[in-house]
Structures are given as C-alpha cells and as structure tokens.
Amino acid sequence: MEEDCFATQLIYGDGQFNRDGLECLIKKVNLADYGLSYAVVAIVGPQSSGKSTLLNHLFETNFREMDAYRGRSQTTKGIWIAKCIGIEPCTIALDLEGTDSGERGEDDTTFEKQSALFALAISDIVLINMWCHDIGREQAANKPLLKTVFQVMMRLFSPRKTTLLFVIRDKTKTPFEFLEPILREDIQKIWHAVPKPHVEVVALSSYEEKEEKFKEEVAHNLRCHLLCLTVAQLRQRFMHSISPGGLAGDRRGVVSASGFSFSAQQIWKDIKENKDLDLPAHKVMVATFRCEEIAGEKLAQLTLDEGWLALEKAVESGPIPGFGKKLSSILERYLSEYDSETIYFDEGVRNVKRKQLESKALDFLHPAYITMVGHLHSKALENFKTGVENWLEEGEGFAALVRACKEYCILEFDQGCADAFVQLAGWDASKIKEKLQRDIDAHASSFCSAKLSDLIVNYERQLSTALTEPLESLLESGERDTWTSIRKLLKRETEAALLEFLSAVAGFELDKADITAMEQKIRDYARNVVERKAREEAGKVLIRMKNRFSMVFNYGCDSIPRVWTAGKEDIKTITKEARSASLKLLSVIAAIRLDEKPDKIEKILFSSLMDGTTAPLASTTWEEVPSKDTLLTPVRCKSLWKQFKAETENNVTRALSYQKACRRKNNWVPPMWAIVAMIVLGFSELMLQLRNLDGEFRNGTVAAILSVSSRFLPTVLKIPRPPPGLPPAPQAPQQLHSVVSQSFGNQTPQPNPMPNFISESSVSSSNISSDCNEYS
C-alpha cells in the first residue's frame, strides 16, 4: 500500500481551528512516535503564485492546485496540512492561503498576517514564494508582510531559530547573482540593525513555461553557494533537514511531536487574541499541558492495570510475599513510559510533572501498602498471643517468655516490612511498628494480669476451702479460746498459701511493691473469709444458743441423758449452767477478734443478763471494739437473750412438772373413803360369790374354780387406779426419737414418757415448741 499524505484543512478560512482533523492526521501518520525527530515546513506567498504546486512536487502532497484554464483565483483558503511523502525524518507541510488576494480585498489583511505569524511560530522552515519579476517591488514583493513577519521573528529568535527559504519562481534572463543582492538589500532594509535570521535564496525555473525542466533538473548538484535549483534538488535539501547543518537550523525550541497538536492550537489562539508570541513561555506551556496529559494517562492506566488490580485484591485477604517488588515493578513501568513520552519536552517541566505523577501514584498505591503492613501487624500480634499461651504451658518463666516472644514477633514484622518495602516510595512503617510494640506490651500486661488473677483466685479458693469448715466448727463450739484458735488457723493457712503463691509468681519478675500488694490482697481475702463466716454464724446465733442449751440441759457431763426423777436432778442449777453456756456462745459471736485486743463483752453480758448486777444493755457499741468488728450490738444481744429465754422457759417448766409428778407417784396412799369403799364393795361381792359357791361345786371342783375365777377377776380390776395425771416411768433417748418418728409418720399422736423437752438437733423455736407438746 502506497504511503498517503493525509492532507486535511488545519484552519478554515473564517479562522476556526480544525482540532479533530489535526488529531486524526497525527494518529494516521503516528506523529507522536517521532518525538523530536520531525520537521514542519510552511510556505507563504502571493495568491496564485504556485505555492501548492511547489509543495506537491517537493513533497508529493496532494494540495489543491489552481487550474490556469479557469482563470487566476483563490485556490487555497485558510491553512492546509499534510505529511510529506518520502522525506526523512517525518516532515509536515503547511500550505497557507495566498496573500494579496482579491477575494479578501485591500483592507482585509488580518488573516494574511495571522497565518504568516502562525507559520513562522510552528515551522522549522518557511518557504517564501516570490516571482522573479517582483523582486524590487513594494507590494508585489510582500514587503509589508515580510516586515510584520520579521518583527515577530525578532521576538521569536531566542531560543529557537526558523530558516527562511526564499524561492524565486519563474527565473528570467536576469542572472541570479544580480537578483540575490537586490533581495538581500530589501531584507536588510526591513531588519535595519536587528541581527538577521538565517536566510537562503534559491531560484527555480518557470513551471508553466519550462515544466519539464522544473520537474526533472535532478542531475545538477549543489556545487556553489548560490545556485539555481530544480525541484528535485530542492527536495533533496529537505532530506535529513534536522541533522546538524540541515535546513531546520536550531532545534532547541522544538516541541515534542506528541505536543504538536496542543502547541498549534495554543499558538493560533494567542494569534487570534492578539497576544504577543513568547515561544519560551509557549514552550513551557506546551510542555506543562502535554506532561500533565501524559501523566494523567499513565495514572489512569495504572489504576486499571490488571497486575495491580490482582495484587490489590489479593492483599485484602492477607500478606503477599514479594509485595514490595511487585508494586515497585508496576509503578516503575508507568513512570518509565512517562519518561519516554515526555523526553523531548522542557526538562524542568517534565521533572516537576513526573514528581507530581509519582506522588499521585504513590498516594493511590499507599492504601494497599497500609493494608499489607496491617496484615503483618495482625499476624505478628496473633503469633505473640499464641506463642505466649503455648509456651507458657511448658512451664517457662512468664517474663522471659514474653521477652523472647516479643523479639521474635518484632523481627518477623521487620522482615515482612522489608519484603513489602517500595524503594521509590520510601514508605515508613515505624509508626505501625510502634503500635505493634504497644499492642504486644498491652497484651502481655493484660495476659500477665489475667494469669496473676487466676493464681490469686486459685489460692483464695484454696484458702476458703481450708478455712470454712474449721471456722464453722470453732464458732459453733463457742469456747473461751475460740478466737485464739481462729487466729492461729488463719495465720497458718494464710502463710502456707502465700508461700506457694510467691513460688508460683517468681517467673513473672514483678516489682517488690506489686508482690507486696498481692500478698496483702491474699491476706485480706483470708481475713474476709473469717469475717464473712463469723457474720454468717452471727445470723444463726439464736439456733446455736438453743442447741447449746439443749445439750447442757438434757445431757450430763458424760453425755448421758438426764432423767427427771424426784430429787435426783437440780433443775434450777442445770438451767443456769445451760443458760451460762448459751450466753458464753453469744459473747463469742458478738464481735470479731482477729486483732488480739482484749474486750469486756463476756463480762458485760454475764453481769447484765445473768446476774443483773449492771444496768440493762442499751448501747449500740462495745467498748474497745471497732464498729466494723461488731457482729451483735449490745441492744441486739439483749433482744436475742430475751427471745432465747422465752423459747426455752417452757421446757424448764415442763421438766419441773415432770419431776413433781414423779415425786407424787412415789409417795401416793389411797384416801380413807377409798379404803372404806373398797372394803364395802369387796365384802358385798364376796358374800354374793360365796352364796353361789355351792351351786358351782355341784358341777365339779375344777369347773367351780374356773367359774369363780372368771367372776372374781373383773371385780379386782375395778379397784381404783392412781390419778391419771401421773406420767409413767422414763424411757431412754433412743426410745424417744423412735416414738416421735412413729408419731409423725402415722399422723397419730402417741404418749411419750420421755422428759427431755428440748431437741438435740438445730431446730427453730417453733419446732421446739411443737416437739415439746408432742412429748407431753
């Protein structure tokens, strides 16, 4: 397929810029790929001077040419653009609308100037097409236009230079050596004292008169500085125009091919808005625009990169081995592409925009890095937790274990961060590492506290078990040395528990103050166990007192049940002993005595409640006893004693009644009227039986005896018995319980001859009363 020039209109006749057409041409000829290796050639000159024809023959373009047979009129309107065929490097040709056209008129020279300025601003080489016979003329030679162009070039020379190539058309018999000085003189007058641009002058044969010579003079070469050239020779001069010494001249201010479209648009915009052309500033502007555009493209491509999307998705689930290298590779690829595409733009601008691209890209990628480091943090912390728990079961010292686990997990985290490090980014994970250290320390502290708490709870439970039952037994006994025994028990068990506890916590490497505090906590707990048990027993003191009274009242010192026979038991003395024992129990439970401080509770209770030698108890505190150690206030003790006496008084009364009944039974004699009655009643019955005795013996001796016995026995049974209120002989305590059980089991009350009126078991006062009634 032959190469196409893709000619299109760049600027319409009304001054509108054809952006889409230019973009289309750039894509078709792949201009952006050439970087700085391209050249732009423009041609200016009068209308119908053969500009399009010259370009078509020079560069094999297909610009529209004037048809001489249809008259001389405007052919090219606006500015056209096309790619030169067969020219190296890539060369773009601009065909400008002719000047001094009749269609626009004398006064409409604005577009002529604008197009000439535009061609000069964007072109490396400007062909100025002139007719040979117009040299030396004013208007025909376009001196006003040249003056405007040169004035603009004065502002555009630094840093870029544009080559002006005057093409003298339709060479006449006048020697070229005479024409060139005239042209240079005209140019000199325009420039005055301003340094002149690089100017070359060539002459071509007439295309209309000598078309073949115009086309085919290829054999001549450039042996002289100023020669008349054929089109082929002139075309040859455009080959490698950007090489050193070529026609393109100074290349320092050239715009990269990828920014050509934007540059052309901005230059035309500035011309249309009558702004001064400042190529250095324009160069920076174009570089800024294109570098920003390219950076935006690379950033957009990065966000949609398949490798990046896969890496981003994978890192959400957990740490990725080689994360840093993978991310760096993705980032560096797009930065390298940016560098290659912006290499021909202003270095300062492209470096600034590269840093901006790099910053935006890193900002975009940073969340993935944070996620990655977060996984490393979580993994290290979880490994620490698991390691501490697993290794602690092996019996290692806690503090040494925590140090070893922490060092291992921090090292593991550092290695993971090194693997995730992005060299270009220089991201710092020190803050996350500090957080990991704080989290590890916090967990270690929490875990340590939990383990110590478990140890303390275990030893407290051990103390509670060791103290509870002995305390209950000691408090129930209510002896004078009860609290001395309790103090010894408390000290012994506490010291034993503390000895084991201190051995267990040795591996925690605690501060002395912490150990002292925990020791005190265990001591306080043991003391609280005693106090709590004492308060519990204080709530049951009435039951304990009645049980104590029952034991002393019903049983002797040898634990043999008492039998309330006449004159054998001193019930009053026994009652006093039983009440004294109960009151002693009350005095023991009235206050907590763990501090070995003497008190007068027992003395006060006995003198007030038993002896009545002191005033009644009316205080709410005990002397020398702190309120926190008071279990039963004096007023409460008085109330309990009153209730105790009321609930045990009836039993004493019954015991006295039973003893009195026994005494009456042993001393009983029938009264005289009873004796007389028995004699009278017995004599009458005897006489009646004797009268019938003869009749009975008639039937035989044995039969008579049996008959008399059957009648005599009922008579004897009718003899008066002792009074029914006298109780029978006492039974053993075991028989008493058997009778009670049988009575409640059959729901039928049975007579109970046992005089023990108080149950041996710990029962309430109401139960005791009901039992006493049952016994009676």
Side-chain angles (χ1 to χ4, degrees), residues 198-439:
H198 178 68
V199 176
E200 290 196 21
V201 180
V202 295
L204 294 176
S205 301
S206 172
Y207 174 73
E208 294 181 354
E209 297 178 2
K210 303 177 181 179
E211 181 177 354
E212 294 301 322
K213 187 176 181 181
F214 180 86
K215 294 181 180 179
E216 298 177 0
E217 289 181 344
V218 180
H220 296 281
N221 52 41
L222 300 176
R223 296 180 180 178
C224 301
H225 181 66
L226 296 174
L227 291 176
C228 295
L229 301 178
T230 62
V231 171
Q233 291 173 332
L234 185 59
R235 173 183 172 87
Q236 191 64 31
R237 294 202 64 184
F238 283 96
M239 297 296 290
H240 307 291
S241 61
I242 65 173
S243 299
L247 285 176
D250 190 352
R251 300 286 293 170
R252 287 179 295 173
V254 69
V255 175
S256 174
S258 64
F260 177 78
S261 175
F262 176 76
S263 176
Q265 295 176 56
Q266 291 300 314
I267 290 176
W268 183 248
K269 180 180 178 182
D270 292 342
I271 292 174
K272 291 284 290 182
E273 295 177 357
N274 296 318
K275 293 182 179 180
D276 292 337
L277 292 179
D278 185 357
L279 283 188
H282 177 78
K283 176 185 175 183
V284 172
M285 177 189 67
V286 174
T288 300
F289 173 81
R290 280 299 297 153
C291 290
E292 285 182 352
E293 190 175 44
I294 294 171
E297 293 173 358
K298 298 309 164 187
L299 184 61
Q301 293 171 7
L302 171 62
T303 60
L304 300 177
D305 186 86
E306 293 182 358
W308 154 250
L309 294 176
L311 185 64
E312 183 184 33
K313 183 178 180 181
V315 80
E316 292 292 335
S317 303
I320 305 298
F323 177 85
K325 292 183 179 179
K326 294 177 181 178
L327 196 61
S328 297
S329 176
I330 295 172
L331 178 61
E332 290 173 357
R333 181 169 74 251
Y334 288 101
L335 290 177
S336 298
E337 291 179 3
Y338 169 86
D339 291 338
S340 63
E341 294 183 24
T342 61
I343 189 173
Y344 300 115
F345 290 106
D346 182 82
E347 182 179 3
V349 173
R350 73 168 183 261
N351 289 340
V352 170
K353 298 306 176 182
R354 189 187 196 278
K355 290 181 179 179
Q356 293 178 359
L357 170 61
E358 183 180 311
S359 177
K360 291 180 180 179
L362 292 176
D363 289 343
F364 174 75
L365 300 175
H366 188 252
Y369 174 79
I370 293 299
T371 302
M372 174 68 183
V373 178
H375 287 313
L376 297 176
H377 169 277
S378 300
K379 181 181 178 182
L381 182 60
E382 189 62 30
N383 288 344
F384 175 80
K385 295 178 180 179
T386 304
V388 169
E389 292 178 1
N390 292 341
W391 294 349
L392 191 62
E393 295 178 356
E394 299 177 2
E396 294 188 17
F398 181 83
L401 170 63
V402 168
R403 285 194 297 271
C405 284
K406 182 177 180 179
E407 291 176 0
Y408 173 80
C409 294
I410 292 297
L411 177 61
E412 182 184 35
F413 176 81
D414 289 339
Q415 293 174 347
C417 288
D419 183 65
F421 181 72
V422 179
Q423 183 69 36
L424 186 61
W427 288 322
D428 185 11
S430 59
K431 291 184 178 180
I432 299 180
K433 181 178 179 179
E434 291 174 0
K435 183 179 184 301
L436 173 62
Q437 292 174 332
R438 292 194 301 269
D439 291 343

Side-chain angles (χ1 to χ4, degrees), residues 119 185 288 509 557 584 607 637 649 659 670:
E185 183 179 356
T288 300
E509 299 180 6
C557 58
K584 183 181 295 184
S607 62
C637 289
E649 186 67 30
Q659 190 180 57

Side-chain angles (χ1 to χ4, degrees), residues 26-162:
I26 290 175
K27 290 181 180 178
K28 288 180 178 179
V29 302
N30 298 320
L31 181 62
D33 296 338
Y34 287 94
L36 297 180
S37 299
Y38 77 102
V40 179
V41 179
I43 188 168
V44 297
Q47 175 182 312
S48 304
S49 61
K51 300 186 299 300
S52 300
T53 303
L54 177 60
L55 292 179
N56 289 340
H57 285 83
L58 273 176
F59 305 121
E60 299 181 9
T61 54
N62 59 0
F63 295 121
R64 182 184 175 189
E65 300 178 8
M66 182 189 71
D67 187 352
Y69 295 100
R70 294 185 179 182
R72 307 184 71 83
S73 62
Q74 188 181 46
T75 304
T76 302
K77 295 181 179 181
I79 301 175
W80 287 72
I81 187 171
K83 179 180 182 294
C84 300
I85 304 302
I87 301 296
E88 295 293 338
C90 178
T91 302
I92 302 297
L94 297 179
D95 187 12
L96 275 67
E97 177 181 319
T99 61
D100 196 18
S101 71
E103 285 79 1
R104 291 191 179 271
E106 296 180 359
D107 299 328
D108 191 6
T109 60
T110 302
F111 186 80
E112 294 178 0
K113 296 177 181 179
Q114 289 175 342
S115 60
L117 292 176
F118 178 75
L120 188 61
I122 70 170
S123 302
D124 299 290
I125 305 168
V126 176
L127 299 177
I128 301 177
N129 198 47
M130 299 181 65
W131 283 327
C132 181
H133 52 264
D134 286 337
I135 296 175
R137 296 176 180 179
E138 183 69 21
Q139 295 295 332
N142 285 319
K143 287 183 180 180
L145 178 61
L146 290 177
K147 183 177 181 180
T148 302
V149 171
F150 291 158
Q151 288 175 349
V152 174
M153 288 187 67
M154 291 171 59
R155 301 194 301 270
L156 304 183
F157 273 147
S158 180
R160 184 182 182 186
K161 294 181 180 180
T162 302

